[in-house]
Amino acid sequence: MLKLGVNIDHVATLREARYRGREAGEPDPVAAALICETAGAHGITAHLREDRRHIQDRDVWQLRERIKTRLNLEMANAPEIVAIALKLKPEIVCLVPERRQEVTTEGGLDVAGNLESLTETCQRMKDGGIEVSLFIAPDPAQVEASAKVGSQFVELHTGAFAEHFNQKQARNVELERLVAAAKQAHGLGLKVNAGHGLNYQNLAVLHVVPHLVELNIGHSIISRSITTGLSTAVQEMLRLMEGYRG
Ligand code: PXP
């Protein structure tokens, strides 16, 4: 079954818009995470950014304590955040680019250009009992590099697919790249997640991408929850994911 990880960063973005610098405020991303779990989400994703623009340290510790599914900590490969992750012990970390030089042209992590430091971080996480996923563009060189550095997962960046969704030819090119990257990653022994820009319109088309384990979805679910409620928004997304054949 294709799993859903709900990214709750946008809940924190809304809270920070009003309560930045305060110890509490609404909406509470942890309360949102618990609703997502009750609605059937298989995991919760949160990005602790170096600039703390949305999720705060207290959020990830409360999530660690209170959620019952899996915590996926999105993070930069930066010493401060690596140290936090090793203490926090999420089930999995997803390494993402935060600075320009870590970004490949399509917007994913430049694994091929950072082999040494990523190998070290993957090993440290492994020693700490934490799985690693690398957020990469569906690019053959990045997939190959991801297998070399010792991560267990890649998360394929679906942003370009989402952006071109309404231009059929360009969308199909992006879809083909995702299909090829998923096959390549699977062939190299990597597990395959996907995310960014996935929504209630484009999800059905993504079913042609093979070997997917989990989708990480944030903006569209949190946006829809404003009109339908969070529980309904999660359940509707899960329904769209049903019938995925791998
Ligand atoms: N996966 C990763 C690695 C991300 O950085 C994000 C965005 O925070 C997402 C998934 C979710 O993207 P969206 O909010 O567009 O669903």
Side-chain angles (χ1 to χ4, degrees):
M1 183 218 267
L2 183 56
K3 292 182 187 153
L4 172 64
V6 179
N7 181 316
I8 54 159
D9 294 349
H10 293 291
V11 180
T13 298
L14 188 54
R15 177 193 63 195
E16 295 301 303
R18 174 60 61 94
Y19 294 103
R20 182 141 204 90
R22 310 263 194 96
E23 293 209 348
E26 62 183 8
D28 176 14
V30 180
L34 299 178
I35 292 170
C36 293
E37 284 191 321
T38 304
H42 304 93
I44 300 299
T45 299
H47 185 174
L48 185 66
R49 294 186 64 100
E50 288 181 87
D51 64 10
R52 307 300 199 273
R53 75 171 64 150
H54 39 52
I55 293 288
Q56 305 297 308
D57 296 60
R58 68 176 188 275
D59 296 323
V60 295
W61 286 102
Q62 282 180 30
L63 286 170
R64 178 66 298 176
E65 211 170 285
R66 297 188 60 194
I67 68 169
K68 304 233 167 5
T69 56
R70 284 161 57 83
L71 178 59
N72 171 19
L73 183 70
E74 275 182 21
M75 54 179 274
N77 183 26
E80 184 217 354
I81 310 289
V82 169
I84 292 171
L86 288 168
K87 281 197 207 121
L88 182 70
K89 296 213 181 290
E91 277 73 19
I92 184 166
V93 295
C94 180
L95 299 178
V96 301
E98 278 185 24
R99 301 200 184 110
R100 277 228 60 76
Q101 67 267 28
E102 301 167 341
V103 183
T104 57
T105 41
E106 296 87 0
L109 193 63
D110 183 10
V111 183
N114 293 281
L115 287 176
E116 207 175 309
S117 70
L118 287 168
T119 301
E120 187 191 327
T121 300
C122 286
Q123 188 59 49
R124 291 183 71 194
M125 293 297 168
K126 197 174 177 189
D127 293 344
I130 302 166
E131 290 190 298
V132 178
S133 178
L134 302 173
F135 184 50
I136 57 166
D139 171 58
Q142 299 299 339
V143 176
E144 199 179 320
S146 299
K148 278 196 195 133
V149 300
S151 68
Q152 291 78 36
F153 283 82
V154 286
E155 178 169 328
L156 297 178
H157 195 320
T158 49
F161 156 73
E163 237 171 75
H164 294 101
F165 185 69
N166 291 320
Q167 302 144 258
K168 204 162 176 209
Q169 220 174 349
R171 173 227 284 186
N172 287 339
V173 169
E174 295 305 331
L175 207 50
E176 274 311 308
R177 296 179 67 215
L178 289 166
V179 169
K183 286 182 182 166
Q184 183 191 1
H186 180 74
L188 290 167
L190 291 161
K191 287 178 260 188
V192 185
N193 294 339
H196 200 91
L198 298 178
N199 60 34
Y200 296 84
Q201 287 73 46
N202 62 30
L203 205 278
V205 178
L206 198 78
H207 281 235
V208 303
V209 179
H211 309 304
L212 295 175
V213 175
E214 180 165 301
L215 304 179
N216 283 305
I217 306 179
H219 188 267
S220 66
I221 290 177
I222 302 305
S223 301
R224 197 175 189 91
S225 76
I226 289 173
T227 48
T228 67
L230 189 49
S231 199
T232 304
V234 170
Q235 286 163 1
E236 283 179 9
M237 186 58 82
L238 284 167
R239 230 169 284 135
L240 289 169
M241 289 165 58
E242 275 173 15
Y244 175 71
R245 302 267 172 263

